[in-house]
Amino acid sequence: MPVMSEMSSAPRISAPLRLLILGGSADANRLVGALARDPRIDAVLSFAGRTENPIKPPIPCRIGGFGGVQGLIDYLRSERIDRVVDATHPFAAQMSAHAVEACAAAGVPLLALDRAPWQPQRGDHWIEVDTMEQAVAALGTAPRRVFLGIGRQQLELFAAAPQHSYLVRLVDAPRAPLPLPKVEIVVGRGPFTRANDGAMLRQFGAEMVVAKNAGGEATVAKIEAARDLGLPVVMVRRPVTPPRPTVTSVIEVLDWLDQAVAPMERGV
């Protein structure tokens, strides 16, 4: 949904604008980098904290949930937040829904930074599904070697298909055994490269890839590598989120914020 110019007639804020960035994506990190030295913006980054050793952002941050919609409303009011940017992962549907409801209740303008999903290219063989449960079923009954490029949150669902051998890539090494009987683990943090992902899939002998349609450049390498190797990709479509003003690039977010603050040269 295109962003509406909801602030064009509102008075600009002369004091630093209090901005809450809901993070958890590479786009959020790029936005933080762009705002870190802007004296007009007093921003705080919030993220879930599922990664054990996150990269330290150059702005204040908070880690963990808000305690549901009411908790987020209370935070917006107590911290006197002027604007919210939802730059969460495209599959963080619950957080996005909470942001829509809380911002409406607190009267705080919200903008979503939601990068475009990947589109199948020539040479791709995608099996598109709506849920991770459907992705498990799409692997079939015959034993296969499967790369799971989905993070750790829903790995237990694939225990329902123990006939397959799995390769799982995680940001952090697991502290406990994964809930899969036949599994190999590779630890790495994106962005990844097409060549390296191709080598990883060949070494494992992958026959299928499972991925979430996250979009963006940080993790697209596995999709490109699967294309190069002629591997089918079980692609999980994005969950539905409530309607909200949305843009697809950091520069559009910066333009939106420019409408809210008094003119001043950006920090360089």
Side-chain angles (χ1 to χ4, degrees), residues 24-28 30 87-90 112-118 213-219 238 246-249:
S25 67
D27 290 326
R30 283 190 286 270
T88 55
H89 191 277
L113 174 55
D114 191 10
R115 58 184 180 260
W118 297 316
N213 196 334
E217 298 179 358
T219 61
R238 294 182 179 186
T246 302
V247 295
T248 59
S249 69

Side-chain angles (χ1 to χ4, degrees), residues 17-21 35 41-44 81 83-85 257:
L17 180 145
R18 290 280 290 156
L19 173 67
L20 173 63
I21 302 170
L35 293 174
I41 309 293
D42 180 13
V44 59
I81 299 297
R83 302 288 183 271
V84 174
V85 173
L257 294 172

Side-chain angles (χ1 to χ4, degrees), residues 147 167 169 186 191-209 219-231:
F147 173 61
L167 174 65
R169 179 161 60 195
V186 59
F192 303 103
T193 69
R194 187 172 187 164
N196 286 346
D197 274 13
M200 175 189 68
L201 294 176
R202 283 193 299 271
Q203 181 176 355
F204 175 66
E207 298 171 275
M208 295 187 78
V209 171
T219 61
V220 71
K222 61 178 175 282
I223 309 303
E224 296 171 330
R227 182 185 310 138
D228 294 339
L229 297 172
L231 301 180

Side-chain angles (χ1 to χ4, degrees), residues 82-138:
D82 298 306
R83 302 288 183 271
V84 174
V85 173
D86 178 4
T88 55
H89 191 277
F91 280 75
Q94 184 179 63
M95 185 69 249
S96 294
H98 286 181
V100 170
E101 188 174 346
C103 286
V108 176
L110 167 70
L111 181 67
L113 174 55
D114 191 10
R115 58 184 180 260
W118 297 316
Q119 300 295 330
Q121 307 294 318
R122 184 175 182 179
D124 284 334
H125 177 199
W126 286 10
I127 304 165
E128 294 191 84
V129 297
D130 291 320
T131 67
M132 201 61 70
E133 290 85 354
Q134 292 174 0
V136 175

